[in-house]
């Protein structure tokens, strides 16, 4: 054997999905022939911090394995090995590995999409499909909270409106996605010249990686009715004065 060993592929036993800080991704470098126990390479990942992970041969064989533990700020939409360096790697005949070429089409996640997401979701805007206009008691206003990334089905927040009774409305995600929706049914005394969300509290909201929402900041310039004027008016008209008729007898 006069041929140096090479890395033929990078693979993982970790399932497709989204992973947050503290979770582990197992990375395997597969070689074209057996290498010596204890041999290792160091891979650089394509996340935002270019994390490095050492992969080591646990015994003579064709695999070198390491564990990548996700840390805060390690974000990427599709994790992969971008490059690697060689520590000491040789086949059983003693031929040293020299090539650091990442195998084309055989990268760690060519067959899987592993999202690294360590950022908590936030509400990016409040919107409504309800038309501009005036609404009275008993009529419905649909309110939508839009998030900057998908959140889990069933998650919810509770918004407080700026009407005279500070009505609260629960908004819920009907499925995994970027919207939580609820319906505000106008009640007597719920008056305001321009309806908006004044604040909100978080029930349980997390993205698909499990990062929990913590911010309760109402988005500036992106409130529910920034582009619409919805008047809530539950007060019936009344006479303010009575003038005598000029056609008196």
């Amino acid at each position: 054997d006069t041929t140096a060993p090479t890395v033929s592929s990078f693979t993982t036993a970790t399932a497709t999905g989204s992973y947050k800080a503290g979770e582990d991704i197992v990375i395997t470098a597969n070689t074209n022939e057996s290498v010596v126990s204890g041999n290792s390479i160091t891979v650089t990942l394509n996340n935002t911090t270019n994390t490095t992970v050492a992969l080591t041969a646990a015994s003579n064989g064709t695999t070198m394995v390491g564990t990548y533990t996700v840390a805060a700020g390690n974000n990427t939409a599709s994790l992969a090995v971008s490059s690697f360096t060689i520590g000491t790697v040789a086949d059983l005949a003693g031929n040293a590995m020299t090539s650091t070429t990442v195998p084309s089409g055989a990268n760690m996640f060519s067959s899987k999409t592993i999202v690294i997401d360590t950022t908590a979701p936030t509400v990016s805007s409040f919107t409504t499909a309800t038309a501009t206009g005036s609404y009275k008691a008993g009529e419905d206003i649909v309110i939508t909270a839009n998030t900057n990334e998908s959140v889990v089905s069933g998650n919810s927040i509770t918004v407080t409106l700026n009407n005279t009774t500070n009505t609260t409305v629960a908004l819920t995600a009907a499925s995994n996605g970027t919207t939580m929706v609820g319906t505000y049914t106008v009640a007597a005394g719920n008056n305001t010249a321009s309806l908006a969300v004044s604040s909100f509290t978080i029930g349980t909201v997390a993205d698909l990686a499990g990062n929990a929402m913590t911010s309760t900041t109402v988005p500036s310039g992106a409130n529910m009715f920034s582009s619409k004027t919805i008047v809530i008016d539950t007060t019936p008209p009344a006479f303010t004065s009575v003038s005598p008729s000029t056609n008196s007898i």
Side-chain angles (χ1 to χ4, degrees):
D1 178 3
T2 61
T3 306
T6 60
V7 173
S8 55
S9 66
F10 289 103
T11 57
T12 182
T14 303
T16 289
S18 296
Y19 294 84
K20 67 181 185 299
E23 295 188 305
D24 291 336
I25 314 294
V26 177
I27 304 170
T28 300
N30 302 286
T31 56
N32 65 333
E33 60 177 318
S34 290
V35 298
V36 177
S37 176
N39 284 183
S40 67
I41 65 174
T42 298
V43 298
T44 298
L45 303 177
N46 69 334
N47 60 27
T48 46
T49 55
N50 299 128
T51 304
T52 58
V53 181
L55 313 184
T56 304
S59 59
N60 290 355
T62 57
T63 59
M64 291 179 283
V65 181
T67 299
Y68 159 46
T69 300
V70 179
N74 293 180
N75 300 308
T76 180
S78 184
L79 189 65
V81 171
S82 55
S83 64
F84 69 94
T85 58
I86 302 165
T88 298
V89 181
D91 63 20
L92 303 186
N95 299 296
M97 177 181 288
T98 57
S99 173
T100 56
T101 301
V102 175
S104 176
N107 206 323
M108 185 168 55
F109 304 109
S110 298
S111 61
K112 295 181 178 181
T113 300
I114 293 192
V115 177
I116 305 300
D117 178 4
T118 65
T119 306
T122 59
V123 173
S124 54
S125 66
F126 289 103
T127 57
T128 182
T130 303
T132 290
S134 295
Y135 293 83
K136 65 183 186 297
E139 295 187 303
D140 291 336
I141 314 293
V142 176
I143 304 169
T144 299
N146 303 287
T147 56
N148 65 330
E149 60 177 317
S150 290
V151 298
V152 177
S153 177
N155 284 184
S156 67
I157 64 174
T158 298
V159 299
T160 298
L161 303 178
N162 68 335
N163 60 26
T164 46
T165 55
N166 298 126
T167 303
T168 58
V169 181
L171 313 184
T172 304
S175 60
N176 290 355
T178 59
T179 58
M180 292 179 282
V181 181
T183 300
Y184 159 47
T185 300
V186 179
N190 293 178
N191 300 308
T192 181
S194 183
L195 189 65
V197 171
S198 56
S199 64
F200 69 94
T201 58
I202 302 165
T204 298
V205 182
D207 61 23
L208 303 187
N211 299 295
M213 179 180 287
T214 57
S215 173
T216 56
T217 300
V218 176
S220 176
N223 207 323
M224 184 167 58
F225 305 109
S226 296
S227 61
K228 295 181 178 181
T229 300
I230 293 191
V231 177
I232 305 300
D233 179 3
T234 65
T235 305
F239 288 114
T240 57
S241 63
V242 178
S243 300
S245 170
T246 55
N247 296 320
S248 56
I249 298 174

